[in-house]
Amino acid sequence: MKEDRVAEPWSVREVDRVVDAYFAMLGLELAHEDYSKTEFRRGLTTDVHRSDGSLEFKFQNVSAVLDELGAFWIPGYKPRRNVQQLLRERVTQRYENDADLRQDMLRAAEAPVAVDFHRPLDAIAVTPVVEPPMRSRRRVGRHVDFAAREAANRSLGLAGELAIVDFERRALAAAGRADLAEAVRHVSVVDGDGLGYDVLSFDATTEAERYIEVKTTRFAKELPFHVSRNEVEFSQEAGDAYSLARVYQFGSTTRGRPSGQFRLTGALSDTLWLEAQDYLAGPA
């Protein structure tokens, strides 16, 4: 294993090589083509004499800059925000100059999901540890907020909700409560949006109602997502009866990466970092 040169900063050449490798992988990710992160990392070691750990950390730094720009980043390289200024400049420049990449991201965010698409979810994963953005977050120009565009993709959101409805019904039936499974209600479809949750389910033991809000992405489990003021307020009212189901990598075919979900239970103000985005306004 190579050791990093003590106290020697990353050079322009080294940073550019890392950025080139990352953007090559990102292009393959968006195209749903198979690739090996290990092979890309090994390809760097011929002229970037850094340890594997340092290269991995640098890739995570690239994700952090893309996250600041409102862009998608590679699942598995969750953002690490102690970013070298040179790297931030090179990633930003590369991203701003690559209109084709941004168009690929837009297509990924807005691609419709087939009406008959079905992707079962088999388990609830451990909630990831997500590093929140620095409170002194820089103001940066954004071409598109891709997470917002993906959140507005109604067919993707509906498919994720249907996957959670299916999961809840199967879980209750497996617990011997076919009666409760039948009573699971897809509230956002049957009753409409605006109630602060999407699916009404039940506790198999106590029969207590459980209110589930569903957020779906085709990308990484750590990708930020949008929640409404109404959802935050209802979660406070419902307390532990409320949970947010984050469905991630939904429908991904890259390297057979499976879809998954994790749950956050209780008031969203206690389980999420929240950053205000917009106000409803009118003349004073």
Side-chain angles (χ1 to χ4, degrees), residues 172-224:
L172 287 167
R177 296 305 307 263
D179 57 328
L180 295 179
E182 187 176 348
V184 170
R185 186 177 182 86
H186 193 171
V187 172
S188 62
V189 169
V190 177
D191 302 316
D193 288 328
L195 294 177
Y197 64 102
D198 297 310
V199 178
L200 174 66
S201 188
F202 303 91
D203 184 286
T205 302
T206 67
E207 301 185 3
E209 293 183 340
R210 296 168 58 242
Y211 310 100
I212 305 171
E213 173 65 26
V214 184
K215 302 292 182 182
T216 305
T217 181
R218 287 187 169 102
F219 289 87
K221 66 175 69 174
E222 301 90 356
L223 193 76

Side-chain angles (χ1 to χ4, degrees), residues 26-47:
L26 182 56
L28 293 170
E29 186 76 38
L30 292 168
H32 302 292
E33 294 184 19
D34 290 345
Y35 65 96
S36 168
K37 292 177 182 176
T38 300
E39 290 303 314
F40 270 93
R41 189 181 67 245
R42 287 174 178 167
L44 286 173
T45 59
T46 57
D47 58 349

Side-chain angles (χ1 to χ4, degrees), residues 87-98:
L87 179 74
R88 175 175 278 115
E89 292 170 356
R90 303 305 263 198
V91 173
T92 301
Q93 182 183 52
R94 177 68 176 268
Y95 173 73
E96 290 180 345
N97 290 338
D98 197 336

Side-chain angles (χ1 to χ4, degrees), residues 77-197:
Y77 288 138
K78 70 177 183 179
R80 298 287 292 271
R81 301 189 186 278
N82 185 18
V83 179
Q84 178 190 15
Q85 183 59 27
L86 174 62
L87 179 74
R88 175 175 278 115
E89 292 170 356
R90 303 305 263 198
V91 173
T92 301
Q93 182 183 52
R94 177 68 176 268
Y95 173 73
E96 290 180 345
N97 290 338
D98 197 336
D100 289 340
L101 178 73
R102 296 196 304 275
Q103 189 61 40
D104 288 343
M105 289 185 182
L106 187 60
R107 279 193 288 266
E110 297 183 338
V113 177
V115 175
D116 60 350
F117 178 83
H118 180 67
R119 180 58 55 90
L121 302 171
D122 295 326
I124 297 176
V126 175
T127 304
V129 176
V130 179
E131 184 179 355
M134 295 176 290
R135 300 290 22 113
S136 57
R137 190 168 186 172
R138 303 176 314 123
R139 286 182 171 84
V140 295
R142 295 187 176 192
H143 293 272
V144 178
D145 185 337
F146 293 99
R149 297 294 278 269
E150 190 178 53
N153 185 335
R154 290 300 303 151
S155 66
L156 177 64
L158 177 60
E161 291 170 13
L162 289 169
I164 292 298
V165 169
D166 173 72
F167 177 87
E168 291 296 312
R169 286 175 175 163
R170 286 189 289 112
L172 287 167
R177 296 305 307 263
D179 57 328
L180 295 179
E182 187 176 348
V184 170
R185 186 177 182 86
H186 193 171
V187 172
S188 62
V189 169
V190 177
D191 302 316
D193 288 328
L195 294 177
Y197 64 102

Side-chain angles (χ1 to χ4, degrees), residues 225-246:
F225 50 90
H226 289 255
V227 297
S228 70
R229 178 177 176 177
N230 184 50
E231 289 160 2
V232 172
E233 290 178 348
F234 180 75
S235 72
Q236 293 170 336
E237 296 170 11
D240 288 344
Y242 185 95
S243 66
L244 184 144
R246 178 55 161 166

